[in-house]
Amino acid sequence: MRGDRLISILLMLQSQGRMTAKELSEKLEVSERTIYRDMEVLSGSGIPVFADRGKNGGWSLIDGYQTDLTGLKESEIRALFVPSSPQLLEDLGLTRISEDARNKLIASLPATFRDNAKDVWSRIHIDTSSWRGTKEKIASFEVLKNAIWENNKLGILYQRADGETNNYIVQPLGLVAKGNSWYLIAAKEDGDIRNYRASRIQSAMPRKEAFERPVDFDIAAYWKKSKQAFIKALPTYVVWVKASGEVLSRLSFSNYFVRVIETKSIDEKGWALMKLAFDTKEEAKRFILGFADQMIVTEPENLRAEILRMAEAAVAQYKK
């Protein structure tokens, strides 16, 4: 791409001092005519390039000129300017700071690349909020953030998923955003590293006690490993069902509740034999019953009998 090539020319002239069109064309594997056109573009965009005639001539930059750009390709510039989630930046208190940093980076680019960088903002937007706009309330988010930067131990009151609350003394190592939820990654007194959902931290109190952060702790690597372990440990309840054609298209939008493992066959009426996986038996019963006569359990038999009893109970309730 021309953008990448222009950056390469600029950096080569900056490092080499002077290069002929022939030398540039050989290094970049283009024609000398292309190099001359590129030089016109660079000059027109405000880059002070000029040509010396004669035996020792060539293209060079005006004495003392240094670009602030250090080897970035056009695709790399785009990657730098892919927008962050506005919600997460707001949570971290970095919205204005992020805008200022972005503007400074834009200003450091040669004029010919500025429009390309800005164009990313009009084409890509990242929204991590939910459709209903609900946001988890985090009582002590500022305390968590400060403790992470200052390497201060924290005393937290944490409510587990089962509703039980416990007090812990932890060493906060970082924060991870998963979707629109935040998790505190912290080490316990025995060194065991755990994940704490920030919205379940009822209170957090800084302690007048610092800790030494593990020098080799990589939060991205830790989270990846933790997530894989969590997924592997999730319970799985497998069911075989026959589903009508009307259901098939809807299943692709229901993967929060169910995972389609296998589709074996579709008969002449459009019904398919499918293998589905749920986290629990209770989830399977409620999900399948919700499709009424459009989904029928074939295996396991005991689930089929339980759903039948639920359906009969529902009918009896409506007849009262």
Side-chain angles (χ1 to χ4, degrees):
M1 293 178 67
R2 168 175 273 191
D4 293 343
R5 193 171 64 246
L6 293 177
I7 292 177
S8 297
I9 291 173
L10 183 58
L11 293 172
M12 280 193 283
L13 292 180
Q14 186 170 293
S15 61
Q16 303 284 338
R18 175 177 291 135
M19 297 182 72
T20 66
K22 185 174 185 299
E23 289 171 334
L24 288 166
S25 67
E26 289 174 351
K27 284 187 175 293
L28 297 171
E29 298 180 345
V30 294
S31 68
E32 290 186 43
R33 181 175 295 180
T34 296
I35 294 298
Y36 284 116
R37 285 198 296 265
D38 287 345
M39 289 303 181
E40 289 178 5
V41 172
L42 285 172
S43 179
S45 65
I47 305 298
V49 292
F50 63 93
D52 285 330
R53 305 291 181 184
K55 182 178 179 181
N56 297 318
W59 290 94
S60 60
L61 295 167
I62 194 169
D63 287 347
Y65 177 81
Q66 289 284 315
T67 177
D68 292 329
L69 190 63
T70 55
L72 293 174
K73 297 180 180 178
E74 189 169 9
S75 57
E76 292 169 337
I77 293 173
R78 286 180 182 159
L80 282 176
F81 283 91
V82 170
S84 302
S85 161
Q87 181 61 63
L88 300 184
L89 286 174
E90 182 183 338
D91 290 345
L92 293 169
L94 296 176
T95 302
R96 179 61 183 274
I97 295 171
S98 174
E99 291 174 357
D100 290 346
R102 190 172 64 180
N103 290 335
K104 288 177 182 178
L105 185 54
I106 278 285
S108 74
L109 296 173
T112 189
F113 301 115
R114 288 176 192 163
D115 289 340
N116 288 342
K118 291 178 181 178
D119 197 38
V120 175
W121 306 334
S122 65
R123 296 174 186 264
I124 297 173
H125 178 71
I126 296 174
D127 182 5
T128 57
S129 63
S130 65
W131 285 109
R132 295 186 183 275
T134 55
K135 181 180 175 183
E136 291 187 338
K137 293 181 180 179
I138 304 175
S140 306
F141 202 56
E142 288 300 318
V143 176
L144 301 183
K145 289 190 294 183
N146 291 338
I148 287 168
W149 294 119
E150 295 170 10
N151 290 340
N152 259 5
K153 288 186 180 181
L154 281 176
I156 63 172
L157 178 63
Y158 187 70
Q159 183 180 42
R160 301 192 325 185
D162 60 8
E164 182 182 339
T165 57
N166 291 290
N167 285 290
Y168 300 103
I169 296 174
V170 299
Q171 301 170 0
L173 301 176
L175 286 164
V176 170
K178 175 67 173 171
N180 63 347
S181 298
W182 285 98
Y183 291 84
L184 172 70
I185 313 303
K188 296 172 68 176
E189 293 286 82
D190 61 4
D192 188 24
I193 299 176
R194 295 290 183 88
N195 308 334
Y196 301 89
R197 189 157 180 159
S199 60
R200 291 189 190 147
I201 297 176
Q202 306 291 296
S203 64
M205 183 65 66
R207 297 174 64 87
K208 295 179 181 179
E209 190 178 356
F211 68 91
E212 190 172 337
R213 183 183 177 86
V215 293
D216 59 347
F217 179 71
D218 182 332
I219 195 168
Y222 164 80
W223 181 256
K224 181 178 180 181
K225 186 176 179 181
S226 175
K227 187 172 67 170
Q228 289 171 343
F230 176 79
I231 293 171
K232 189 176 180 180
L234 285 174
T236 301
Y237 186 76
V238 176
V239 180
W240 281 98
V241 300
K242 285 186 68 176
S244 71
E246 180 184 334
V247 170
L248 298 182
S249 59
R250 294 170 62 185
L251 281 176
S252 60
F253 298 100
S254 304
N255 60 348
Y256 180 80
F257 303 100
V258 60
R259 299 177 296 282
V260 179
I261 306 299
E262 184 180 350
T263 301
K264 256 192 174 179
S265 61
I266 300 178
D267 63 21
E268 65 279 0
K269 294 181 180 179
W271 283 65
L273 183 62
M274 307 181 74
K275 184 180 182 181
L276 308 179
F278 299 86
D279 289 343
T280 65
K281 186 178 185 179
E282 289 301 315
E283 274 189 8
K285 288 193 292 187
R286 296 191 188 99
F287 182 84
I288 294 168
L289 187 59
F291 283 103
D293 62 344
Q294 298 300 303
M295 184 178 287
I296 303 168
V297 175
T298 59
E299 293 180 40
E301 279 293 333
N302 66 334
L303 179 66
R304 181 185 178 97
E306 289 183 38
I307 291 178
L308 177 58
R309 284 195 294 271
M310 290 173 67
E312 289 172 341
V315 171
Q317 189 70 21
Y318 274 101
K319 286 183 176 180
K320 287 182 179 179

